[in-house]
Amino acid sequence: MGKQGVIIVAAGTGSRMGTAESKQYLKLGDKPVLVHTLQTFQQIEEIDSIVLVVGQADLERCRDYVDHYGVTKVKRIVTGGTERQHSVLRGLRAMPEAVEWVLVHDAVRPFVSRQDILRCLAKARETGAAVLAVPVKDTIKVVGADGAIESTPDRRSLWAIQTPQAFRLSALIQAHEQAAAAGFVGTDDAMLMERAGYSVHVVEGSYTNIKITTPEDMGWAEWFIQSGRGEMQS
């Protein structure tokens, strides 16, 4: 059975948080958001390797985090590119040779559960590619440039995509390299796999697997930690 690794993407800066510090380094409870995320994957026996992708200026502090918090599964820390997609490809190329299956996960999703991670990975091993997602709760409207509603998609077919996203490593590298050669930039890794002709399957996740992006998200995350619900779920 091929080994399983995860790329934690932490190279972004983000502007919607409105803080001088990048959101992945903000304190959540007693430690940075990024550390919560790293510890989640550190504690999963089925994960063999972690590659952390960070900004050039953050290399040293991330090395310190790994040492201080004992995140021994981090095999490499590499610098990211100008777009998230470029950062992921650098992470993919840094994966240890023995890794066959890879998860790609946002550093600012610290509340993903062990159960959902393993279900996503299992579906990828079964089908080749899988992503965590949740059904959309709200009615969605397609709106034109003039602000007028053009259509209302059937909500039953709409899902909000999360991370991790899981793939065969060799297939994801190929999809990334094809996109790079064509100058194509997608919004997530699943989009690149779809573009390369692969079928990507959805695994229903949890609404608590939020991406911390705005001050409101951070407030919710603090409450989640303080209530005791922010510990990794089995």
Side-chain angles (χ1 to χ4, degrees):
M1 181 183 291
K3 291 192 174 184
Q4 301 168 146
V6 58
I7 296 168
I8 305 294
V9 188
T13 54
S15 57
R16 284 180 285 177
M17 185 61 72
T19 56
E21 183 66 280
S22 297
K23 54 197 174 184
Q24 60 269 33
Y25 302 115
L26 294 176
K27 278 287 187 73
L28 180 57
D30 61 349
K31 53 198 170 192
V33 171
L34 172 60
V35 172
H36 286 276
T37 303
L38 288 171
Q39 290 181 331
T40 293
F41 288 92
Q42 172 72 21
Q43 295 172 43
I44 296 176
E45 183 180 347
E46 291 83 354
I47 298 298
D48 301 290
S49 304
I50 299 172
V51 171
L52 178 58
V53 187
V54 304
Q56 179 69 46
D58 299 310
L59 273 171
E60 200 55 45
R61 71 162 145 183
C62 286
R63 291 189 184 112
D64 290 343
Y65 289 162
V66 168
D67 291 340
H68 180 74
Y69 292 99
V71 191
T72 58
K73 289 183 180 179
V74 172
K75 305 305 180 186
R76 291 173 188 164
I77 304 175
V78 299
T79 57
T82 54
E83 300 282 349
R84 181 185 186 277
Q85 180 173 314
H86 306 144
S87 297
V88 172
L89 181 54
R90 291 185 182 185
L92 292 170
R93 288 173 171 164
M95 266 290 157
E97 288 185 9
V99 171
E100 182 180 357
W101 298 93
V102 66
L103 294 150
V104 181
H105 188 66
D106 297 322
V108 289
R109 289 188 188 269
F111 300 130
V112 64
S113 72
R114 177 181 184 276
Q115 178 183 12
D116 286 348
I117 291 167
L118 293 180
R119 289 194 305 113
C120 186
L121 195 47
K123 178 59 75 172
R125 295 186 72 101
E126 175 191 338
T127 65
V131 299
L132 281 185
V134 289
V136 169
K137 295 179 179 181
D138 299 322
T139 296
I140 303 298
K141 303 287 185 181
V142 177
V143 180
D146 62 353
I149 293 172
E150 295 180 348
S151 63
T152 306
D154 184 350
R155 187 172 62 189
R156 291 173 296 180
S157 68
L158 299 176
W159 291 68
I161 303 303
Q162 303 177 339
T163 67
Q165 301 185 357
F167 313 94
R168 188 182 293 276
L169 176 59
S170 58
L172 186 56
I173 289 176
Q174 181 185 50
H176 267 268
E177 290 179 342
Q178 287 177 0
F184 177 84
V185 177
T187 53
D188 69 353
D189 299 284
M191 188 175 185
L192 303 190
M193 290 289 281
E194 294 162 36
R195 182 180 179 276
Y198 291 92
S199 177
V200 181
H201 293 256
V202 162
V203 175
E204 185 165 356
S206 168
Y207 291 102
T208 58
N209 181 21
I210 67 163
K211 184 176 183 180
I212 297 175
T213 305
T214 66
E216 291 78 15
D217 297 332
M218 199 66 185
W220 184 92
E222 288 284 4
W223 172 84
F224 202 61
I225 288 286
Q226 290 168 12
S227 69
R229 302 185 187 187
E231 300 302 318
M232 188 176 67
Q233 302 297 309
S234 61

